[in-house]
Amino acid sequence: MSRWKPLPDELHPHIHHLVVRLRRLKDRGGLGTRQLAAKTGYSAKSWQRYLNGRTLPPREAVEAMARLGGEDPTRLLALHEMAAERWAEGRAAPDALADHAPATSDRDPTPDPDPPTGRLSYGRYPRALVTAGGVALVLSVSMALVLAVQLADARAQLADARTDTVAAPSTVTESLLPTVYPCRPERSDGRWYAGLSRTTTTILAYTHVGPEVAEAQCLLRRAGVSPGDIDGVFGPKTQRAVVRVQEREGLVVDGVIGPHTWKALREADPR
């Protein structure tokens, strides 16, 4: 059982509950952050932030964790949706007005009893206008602070996305359009290649997409195991085909394509 650091006290209960659930799934699977990175496509540093409550994990990361832990992702995604709303509200700085409101207790509210003739004293301006001006100033400062926080968070997420892109292939999103890849198998130096990728080390797991996945699908089909359509999407059919090959070749059965599974696919005889 992992020894977890206490979560920040300021976390909303919904966010706290979500992080605790993710921690339990990680402990249940006995996975380290590097293993999570390999199986989900999100970097180890990102998972450290997610599991310590410093950053709200994206929806795709929550879904991937649920599937790795053998849990139906529906309820966990519903909890993530509520946590996301609270996370956004927490950045709105509800106490900004109280912190930045102008102090009026030290001012003398009494106007000058003898103002110069023909000129209006400052104290005679309507108090409502002065108050409105102060509130407008506070709101402007608060909005500037919120925008600055959101910009910093966006930069951090962009940096995570760049790191994740280098660490692993892309994952499935709603914006991806279906693609059909051609298989052109040929043998070179005792290994089979389908003309889409020559990798032998790239880690591919459920929800990954791209030409590397299509290469693996072509090799699975050549080895006599159907992965479904050659669409470059690591879906349920592709995962089942990988499991069958791993069982047949005496490999570790985890449904993830790593160096050993690539070697088996590259060197397998057609069936």
Side-chain angles (χ1 to χ4, degrees):
M1 192 76 177
S2 300
R3 282 191 170 183
W4 294 105
K5 295 181 180 179
L7 292 173
D9 296 335
E10 63 270 17
L11 283 183
H12 189 276
H14 289 165
I15 304 173
H16 188 282
H17 189 193
L18 174 64
V19 176
V20 170
R21 290 282 298 276
L22 293 175
R23 286 181 171 184
R24 289 176 181 172
L25 289 174
K26 176 182 177 298
D27 290 339
R28 183 190 304 172
L31 300 174
T33 53
R34 292 185 178 179
Q35 293 172 306
L36 284 176
K39 291 178 179 291
T40 64
Y42 292 87
S43 67
K45 291 184 179 180
S46 296
W47 276 113
Q48 289 173 3
R49 287 194 291 270
Y50 301 157
L51 295 173
N52 286 321
R54 298 201 302 270
T55 303
L56 185 69
R59 177 186 177 88
E60 291 80 3
V62 173
E63 183 176 4
M65 176 67 89
R67 296 189 185 281
L68 288 174
E71 182 173 323
D72 183 0
T74 304
R75 296 181 62 183
L76 200 60
L77 290 176
L79 178 59
H80 175 268
E81 184 175 350
M82 293 187 293
E85 294 177 358
R86 298 304 181 185
W87 186 273
E89 291 175 0
R91 295 182 178 279
D95 296 329
L97 288 177
D99 294 340
H100 297 86
T104 57
S105 58
D106 296 334
R107 295 180 179 176
D108 183 5
T110 306
D112 185 359
D114 297 314
T117 304
R119 299 175 65 184
L120 188 60
S121 169
Y122 173 79
R124 291 184 180 274
Y125 278 98
R127 184 174 298 277
L129 293 178
V130 178
T131 303
V135 171
L137 177 61
V138 171
L139 290 176
S140 299
V141 173
S142 300
M143 287 300 297
L145 291 174
V146 171
L147 290 175
V149 171
Q150 291 179 346
L151 179 59
D153 190 48
R155 288 176 176 173
Q157 292 181 0
L158 179 59
D160 289 343
R162 289 175 177 172
T163 303
D164 296 338
T165 300
V166 174
S170 303
T171 55
V172 177
T173 63
E174 295 179 357
S175 61
L176 290 174
L177 298 176
T179 304
V180 177
Y181 291 87
C183 294
R184 301 185 180 91
E186 61 179 17
R187 195 177 181 89
S188 175
D189 296 329
R191 294 187 176 185
W192 286 96
Y193 299 92
L196 299 171
S197 174
R198 300 185 68 85
T199 182
T200 58
T201 58
T202 300
I203 303 297
L204 298 178
Y206 188 76
T207 72
H208 283 182
V209 298
E212 294 85 0
V213 178
E215 174 80 8
Q217 290 172 330
C218 290
L219 296 177
L220 286 166
R221 177 175 292 179
R222 195 199 63 81
V225 182
S226 174
D229 295 333
I230 310 300
D231 54 6
V233 178
F234 201 124
K237 292 183 179 179
T238 301
Q239 189 177 50
R240 286 195 293 267
V242 171
V243 169
R244 288 184 59 188
V245 169
Q246 290 173 335
E247 291 174 344
R248 190 173 71 189
E249 299 296 330
L251 302 175
V252 175
V253 179
D254 57 4
V256 176
I257 300 177
H260 296 293
T261 305
W262 275 117
K263 184 175 184 296
L265 292 174
R266 296 287 189 199
E267 299 178 356
D269 295 327
R271 301 192 181 186

